[in-house]
Amino acid sequence: MQSGLKAYGYYALTGVADGNTRAALSQMQKENSLKVTGTITTEALDAFGIVVR
């Protein structure tokens, strides 16, 4: 997820899921009209084209 956030300019990759990760994810969710949770959701993964099996 961090790689996707970084690729779209929301985040500086640190390798640690922390408050910065949640803030970046919340911003991405907001800008993409997704439910803002600050957590990894199926919709957030779909927005980055990540397939969960």
Side-chain angles (χ1 to χ4, degrees):
M1 178 57 65
Q2 286 184 337
S3 296
L5 290 168
K6 181 179 175 15
Y8 286 90
Y10 291 103
Y11 187 72
L13 189 63
T14 65
V16 177
D18 57 14
N20 293 327
T21 307
R22 288 186 290 281
L25 187 50
S26 293
Q27 185 66 29
M28 184 279 292
Q29 289 168 326
K30 180 180 176 182
E31 290 180 8
N32 288 277
S33 301
L34 301 174
K35 181 177 179 182
V36 178
T37 64
T39 61
I40 298 170
T41 62
T42 302
E43 293 80 13
L45 293 172
D46 286 345
F48 286 128
I50 300 171
V51 177
V52 179
R53 296 178 186 195

